């Protein structure tokens, strides 16, 4: 039995409220958290030059997002742009991607989600180009369950409103999707949940590709086995988001400026 078997919702909740003697992170503005998310996912392979966009809906309905001109690896809190629900810039001289409509439509149609992430991620992008769903081979690839929709009606980039709307409709109530010949899409109720989904998708995709390079033949985990080791708690893996955020802050404390 692996050490995570049986890690169910009650056990996660038991440990999550007790982080230890010291704060796991300093107090961070929401813009700083979004900038950290961009840095954290860059390191995970969500780093196709200046492509990709993260949106985070605030309690007042406004939306935070990364600027079009800057790569995720260089963003700081002061670069994060605030939009109104219609996508109009409120507080920045930066531009936002023309493909932001995909996110605006997601937020409008899915009141349960507050974070949406799209990029041409490295490992999951391979499977998107293969138009195949990667199997789950280990516990880290199983954290967010098995189901992974493949949206395979690629009609171009998401600047077109009809194209982005069809992608939103195809996603339905799923937590993530592969976009055939394009990239990856992850949504979540908050940054922590979306982070776990994004890194799990990339790990799952990487491991599955490595198994194929090794000649295949390995047996994927069954759906029942995946259910045993998946993280049932909506808040994600305890302390993981904070640990990855601390790593970025050690490398560049100026992220939060």
């Amino acid at each position: 039995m692996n050490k995570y078997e049986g890690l169910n919702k009650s056990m996660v909740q038991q440990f999550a409220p007790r982080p230890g003697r010291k704060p796991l992170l300093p107090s961070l503005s929401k813009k700083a958290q979004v900038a950290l998310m961009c840095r954290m996912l860059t390191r995970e392979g969500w780093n196709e030059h200046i492509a990709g966009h993260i949106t985070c809906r605030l309690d007042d309905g406004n939306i935070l997002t990364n600027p079009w001109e800057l790569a995720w690896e260089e963003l700081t809190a002061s670069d994060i742009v605030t939009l109104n629900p219609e996508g109009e810039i409120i507080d920045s001289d930066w531009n936002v991607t023309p493909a932001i409509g995909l996110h605006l439509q997601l937020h409008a149609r899915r009141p349960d989600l507050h974070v949406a992430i799209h990029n041409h991620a490295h490992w999951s992008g391979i499977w998107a180009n293969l138009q195949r769903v990667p199997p789950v081979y280990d516990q880290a690839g199983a954290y967010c369950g098995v189901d992974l929709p493949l949206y395979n009606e690629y009609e171009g980039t998401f600047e077109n409103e009809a194209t982005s709307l069809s992608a939103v409709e195809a996603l339905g109530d799923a937590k993530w999707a592969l976009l055939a010949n394009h990239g990856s899409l992850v949504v979540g109720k908050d940054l922590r949940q979306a982070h776990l989904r994004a890194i799990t998708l990339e790990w799952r995709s990487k491991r599955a590709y490595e198994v194929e390079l090794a000649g295949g033949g390995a047996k994927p985990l069954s759906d029942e086995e995946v259910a045993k080791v998946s993280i049932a708690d909506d808040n994600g893996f305890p302390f993981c988001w904070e640990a990855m955020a601390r790593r970025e802050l050690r490398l560049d404390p100026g992220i939060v400026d």
Side-chain angles (χ1 to χ4, degrees):
M1 184 175 75
N2 67 64
K3 65 179 179 180
Y4 288 114
E5 188 169 348
L7 180 60
N8 56 27
K9 184 172 182 178
S10 63
M11 291 179 65
V12 173
Q13 290 176 333
Q14 176 185 353
F15 290 106
R18 298 193 285 115
R21 295 179 180 275
K22 297 181 179 179
L24 294 175
L25 282 173
S27 179
L28 298 169
S29 70
K30 187 62 76 171
K31 285 191 173 187
Q33 294 177 45
V34 174
L36 275 167
M37 185 77 151
C38 290
R39 298 286 192 104
M40 292 152 64
L41 292 184
T42 292
R43 194 171 302 281
E44 300 285 346
W46 296 64
N47 55 6
E48 200 271 283
H49 304 99
I50 64 167
H53 17 99
I54 294 178
T55 51
C56 179
R57 180 167 53 191
L58 303 172
D59 291 341
D60 63 5
N62 288 334
I63 294 169
L64 300 181
T65 191
N66 56 294
W68 192 13
E69 295 93 333
L70 301 179
W72 287 13
E73 66 184 9
E74 62 181 320
L75 283 173
T76 66
S78 61
D79 297 316
I80 300 302
V81 181
T82 307
L83 309 174
N84 67 19
E86 289 71 44
E88 298 168 335
I89 297 173
I90 294 175
D91 64 354
S92 178
D93 292 328
W94 293 120
N95 294 297
V96 296
T97 173
I100 198 68
L102 170 67
H103 289 239
L104 298 177
Q105 291 179 51
L106 276 169
H107 289 300
R109 295 173 71 92
R110 291 279 302 274
D112 58 307
L113 66 88
H114 293 272
V115 176
I117 310 168
H118 168 60
N119 208 320
H120 313 146
H122 185 129
W123 299 102
S124 53
I126 292 174
W127 292 92
N129 290 341
L130 290 170
Q131 298 192 28
R132 292 171 54 194
V133 174
V136 179
Y137 284 103
D138 64 6
Q139 65 188 33
Y143 286 155
C144 298
V146 173
D147 293 339
L148 174 58
L150 173 65
Y151 173 64
N152 60 1
E153 299 179 8
Y154 184 65
E155 297 176 348
T157 56
F158 283 141
E159 288 87 347
N160 180 276
E161 182 176 352
T163 301
S164 61
L165 181 58
S166 67
V168 171
E169 292 172 342
L171 181 67
D173 61 357
K175 63 175 72 78
W176 52 16
L178 295 179
L179 309 176
N181 302 111
H182 189 163
S184 310
L185 178 66
V186 169
V187 296
K189 72 180 183 68
D190 54 25
L191 289 167
R192 175 192 295 275
Q193 185 185 71
H195 172 258
L196 180 65
R197 291 174 176 179
I199 65 175
T200 299
L201 176 59
E202 206 62 6
W203 183 273
R204 169 178 172 175
S205 299
K206 180 177 185 289
R207 279 289 184 259
Y209 189 67
E210 290 170 338
V211 168
E212 295 227 347
L213 287 180
K219 181 182 177 181
L221 296 180
S222 68
D223 291 359
E224 292 76 15
E225 290 170 322
V226 171
K228 290 179 182 178
V229 297
S230 63
I231 305 298
D233 184 67
D234 286 342
N235 289 321
F237 201 104
F239 321 133
C240 181
W241 195 90
E242 290 86 355
M244 299 303 98
R246 290 196 304 273
R247 179 172 64 182
E248 298 305 323
L249 288 170
R250 288 193 298 271
L251 295 170
D252 182 2
I255 297 173
V256 298
D257 293 343

